Amino acid sequence: MTIENITLSLLENALDFIIRGLDELYDNSEYEERFITPISQPQKDYKYGILHLYAGFILLLKEKLYRDTPSLIYTNGEKTVNYKQATERLKNLDNMENQVVFNERDKSIIKDIQDYRNVFEHYKIDNVDTLKLKEVIIDFIDVINRFLNQHLEINITSPPLNITHEMRVKILSIKPIYDRMIEDSKREIQALGEEKVKNFKKVRLRVLRDIKKANEIYVYETGDDHDIFGNCPKCNEKELIFEGEFAGVCTNKRCYEYTSLTHCDKCGAITIGYDWEETWCEYCCEYLRELIENDKT
């Protein structure tokens, strides 16, 4: 079977370069750690990784121009804009909402990558400081990731991008991308929590009555104590709903804050925290402290 025609949109081509660049820069062994750093060997992987990342980034700038005015990606005839031309045109788009202006720090990072890219592509490679290079690569990945999110509304780890599970894990092990994903997730959870609080205020008395009744039934049927409320970390009152539709809402009228809940990694009990964090409940933490103290004696 032969491929007679190759078709990649501007955006698909850009993302393909970026994914290939990340694949070159991060090998298959290091991402088992929480955060990975660009590889140190072989040296050619730095070269191809940076060349791919930079090419993909320039294509992203063209994609942004194309979305506003397709003709803006061209200079003369079939020639397309370079970095300087693209950034000038992005800065001066007629629609102010679409304008893109890089801050001084980002421009410095892009300039550093350009310098490395020019050396790798046009000159011999001699005495490159790999520690500095690693820092620049990570900063540049952060620039790319923010550009994707803010100006193209793309999450590089999202399933629609059709990247392998292994590659997705690798990308999420790159600290700037992981940190940004976590912040986005926290904002989404907080927004849902604020909606919960708003709805809870309308039906507070009924909800409290139903919770109390359900707890009485549980205790009667099982004979076990059952914590229906936990300590709210905001007001420190034992009025944080632990289960049900309004889990995470503090019932204290002077508080009414929302707190994310998850399960203890040791015993499975409901506790404060996020699903992606390693979290122990209060009782298991106390148990661990006792073990440590006993071990000392």
Side-chain angles (χ1 to χ4, degrees):
M1 177 180 175
T2 59
I3 301 175
E4 295 181 359
N5 298 294
I6 298 174
T7 303
L8 280 176
S9 69
L10 187 56
L11 178 60
E12 288 171 334
N13 199 19
L15 292 171
D16 184 59
F17 269 114
I18 290 166
I19 297 300
R20 292 298 179 92
L22 294 175
D23 208 20
E24 293 282 355
L25 288 166
Y26 297 90
D27 70 15
N28 292 327
S29 61
E30 290 189 77
Y31 71 86
E32 292 174 1
E33 303 173 11
R34 171 56 269 174
F35 296 121
I36 55 178
T37 55
I39 58 174
S40 55
Q41 294 293 336
Q43 292 182 9
K44 64 181 178 60
D45 291 333
Y46 279 130
K47 180 177 74 173
Y48 292 120
I50 286 176
L51 291 178
H52 280 105
L53 280 185
Y54 185 77
F57 175 67
I58 298 302
L59 287 170
L60 291 182
L61 301 183
K62 294 177 184 178
E63 170 68 16
K64 180 64 178 176
L65 285 172
Y66 188 85
R67 290 186 182 189
D68 185 273
T69 309
S71 61
L72 286 178
I73 69 170
Y74 296 103
T75 53
N76 298 312
E78 293 297 310
K79 277 193 169 185
T80 58
V81 291
N82 58 28
Y83 168 72
K84 184 177 180 181
Q85 293 164 332
T87 51
E88 276 300 311
R89 294 183 182 192
L90 285 170
K91 187 169 61 176
N92 296 303
L93 292 174
D94 292 337
N95 185 344
M96 291 186 64
E97 291 183 358
N98 288 342
Q99 289 177 359
V100 179
V101 180
F102 290 106
N103 60 39
E104 291 305 313
R105 182 176 185 276
D106 285 351
K107 286 193 281 191
S108 175
I109 292 164
I110 296 165
K111 174 66 166 57
D112 286 342
I113 282 290
Q114 284 180 312
D115 291 343
Y116 282 118
R117 175 249 187 193
N118 290 338
V119 167
F120 290 160
E121 187 171 11
H122 300 296
Y123 306 101
K124 69 175 183 176
I125 302 171
D126 189 25
N127 292 326
V128 171
D129 184 340
T130 55
L131 291 177
K132 174 71 188 319
L133 180 56
K134 287 179 180 181
E135 291 178 6
V136 173
I137 289 170
I138 290 172
D139 288 341
F140 187 55
I141 290 170
D142 185 42
V143 172
I144 290 173
N145 189 42
R146 281 188 281 113
F147 188 88
L148 282 167
N149 276 271
Q150 295 170 12
H151 301 297
L152 298 176
E153 297 182 342
I154 292 173
N155 177 356
I156 197 171
T157 64
S158 64
L161 291 187
N162 197 29
I163 59 178
T164 65
H165 171 72
E166 181 185 67
M167 194 62 216
R168 185 169 288 109
V169 171
K170 188 182 291 190
I171 290 170
L172 284 175
S173 293
I174 300 170
K175 192 175 187 305
I177 296 179
Y178 178 81
D179 288 345
R180 193 165 302 281
M181 185 204 72
I182 293 301
E183 288 306 310
D184 289 344
S185 297
K186 285 182 178 179
R187 279 194 293 271
E188 290 175 8
I189 289 171
Q190 197 57 41
L192 292 172
E194 289 170 3
E195 187 67 21
K196 276 189 182 184
V197 170
K198 185 173 75 172
N199 293 333
F200 172 76
K201 288 179 179 178
K202 300 174 185 176
V203 292
R204 180 178 184 274
L205 291 178
R206 178 182 64 78
V207 171
L208 291 177
R209 188 170 58 247
D210 290 346
I211 289 175
K212 183 179 178 181
K213 183 178 179 181
N215 185 60
E216 289 173 350
I217 293 171
Y218 178 87
V219 173
Y220 175 77
E221 291 179 346
T222 66
D224 294 334
D225 290 332
H226 184 51
D227 279 338
I228 55 175
F229 296 107
N231 285 333
C232 172
K234 307 291 170 53
C235 67
N236 205 32
E237 297 291 332
K238 197 175 178 65
E239 297 195 40
L240 183 70
I241 300 175
F242 260 12
E243 296 180 358
E245 179 184 357
F246 295 104
V249 174
C250 179
T251 63
N252 182 353
K253 285 185 176 181
R254 296 184 300 278
C255 183
Y256 279 144
E257 290 288 339
Y258 175 78
T259 301
S260 176
L261 298 177
T262 185
H263 289 86
C264 172
D265 287 338
K266 179 170 175 57
C267 71
I270 297 171
T271 189
I272 292 168
Y274 295 98
D275 288 342
W276 57 82
E277 295 175 330
E278 182 178 352
T279 308
W280 283 27
C281 67
E282 180 183 342
Y283 301 107
C284 290
C285 286
E286 181 60 33
Y287 173 72
L288 179 61
R289 281 193 291 268
E290 289 178 3
L291 286 179
I292 292 172
E293 287 301 318
N294 291 336
D295 188 55
K296 287 180 180 178
T297 59

